[in-house]
Amino acid sequence: MTTIPHTNWDPVVARTAGALYLAIAVCGGFSIGFVPMQIVATDAATSTANLMANQGLFKIGIIADGLVILFELAITAILYQMFRNVGPKMAMVALISRAGMISVMGINILLWVLPYMLLTRDTGWDTAQQQDLVQIFFDAHATGVFVWQLFFGMHLLALGWLALKSDVVPQTLGRGLFIGAFGYLLQGIVELTFTDVAALDYTYIALLVIVTISEISFGLWLLIRGGRTSPQFSTAPA
């Protein structure tokens, strides 16, 4: 008989992860969800007009995007520290996948800023050319979201597996993270391949609802519980 350690988190670290989860949800919901809805339209002229009329909101959105990047860097390192004893290889997959997502997010911020640079500098181009480029960059930014979703979906698959293998996280949350991860993966593939099938749309929407509830619940659980205390050791066959 040998002894193997159970998962035993530092409550401060776990609560920090929970706070970061919720901060990312708030900042990301604002910068990725709300701000583009107020600016980006279906035609270039309207998008351009909306941007110039909402410059303050646009800049606040950029600040929120920057905070998301910083929070993501922190939580990526913290989650790896928390789960590396549960499954070192899978924890590394989770870390690399989320790091890949952060890289795409950084490029996406650049795509989001370029329209403002075009409209506030003397490029010598005519109005129609500028507006067309603005819309192209906005469309590329929207597509970039689906690219980083692929990385995030892979991260959640690994994180969900780790949560299910741990003796700390409630099994319901682990299942929700693992199953819901396919929502990000499916939506990314559907949107990037320009596939228009209603059944696929309904499927990934349902999965995204599951994973969103699971992520928020996981963050709240970490923040409130700080990681459930478990016995330090258990016996296992040699």
Side-chain angles (χ1 to χ4, degrees):
M1 304 287 284
T2 60
T3 59
I4 57 173
H6 279 228
T7 308
N8 195 14
W9 292 338
D10 180 343
V12 175
V13 172
R15 289 193 173 97
T16 300
L20 287 170
Y21 254 109
L22 300 180
I24 290 170
V26 172
C27 292
F30 176 76
S31 64
I32 299 172
F34 178 76
V35 175
M37 290 176 61
Q38 310 308 309
I39 295 176
V40 183
T42 56
D43 64 281
T46 303
S47 294
T48 300
N50 288 343
L51 173 56
M52 300 313 293
N54 294 280
Q55 294 183 49
L57 178 66
F58 179 79
K59 292 176 182 179
I60 294 173
I62 293 172
I63 293 173
D65 270 332
L67 289 174
V68 168
I69 292 288
L70 296 177
F71 294 155
E72 286 287 356
L73 288 170
I75 199 171
T76 300
I78 290 172
L79 288 175
Y80 175 74
Q81 179 186 6
M82 290 169 62
F83 283 101
R84 62 183 177 181
N85 290 330
V86 177
K89 291 181 181 179
M90 197 61 73
M92 183 60 68
V93 170
L95 182 146
I96 293 173
S97 299
R98 196 152 190 158
M101 178 196 74
I102 295 169
S103 298
V104 177
M105 282 183 162
I107 296 171
N108 237 22
I109 293 178
L110 176 60
L111 292 173
W112 183 248
V113 170
L114 283 174
Y116 185 81
M117 295 174 62
L118 279 171
L119 296 174
T120 55
R121 296 184 181 183
D122 185 10
T123 62
W125 298 331
D126 61 41
T127 301
Q129 287 177 317
Q130 282 188 320
Q131 291 178 346
D132 287 342
L133 278 173
V134 164
Q135 192 68 21
I136 287 172
F137 285 128
F138 279 153
D139 290 344
H141 173 267
T143 302
V145 172
F146 302 122
V147 175
W148 66 249
Q149 281 187 183
L150 294 176
F151 288 94
F152 192 49
M154 188 64 213
H155 165 80
L156 287 176
L157 281 177
L159 182 63
W161 184 92
L162 289 165
L164 289 169
K165 290 295 182 180
S166 76
D167 60 340
V168 179
V169 183
Q171 293 289 290
T172 302
L173 295 180
R175 293 190 189 98
L177 293 172
F178 186 85
I179 295 171
F182 290 98
Y184 284 111
L185 294 170
L186 182 58
Q187 184 184 32
I189 293 170
V190 167
E191 296 296 339
L192 291 173
T193 58
F194 304 98
T195 302
D196 186 13
V197 178
L200 292 177
D201 294 342
Y202 293 137
T203 300
Y204 73 64
I205 289 173
L207 291 170
L208 288 175
V209 170
I210 292 172
V211 77
T212 300
I213 294 173
S214 299
E215 285 184 86
I216 294 174
S217 298
F218 183 49
L220 287 170
W221 179 80
L222 287 171
L223 184 62
I224 296 170
R225 292 293 302 275
R228 204 167 48 213
T229 303
S230 63
Q232 263 196 316
F233 296 95
S234 70
T235 58

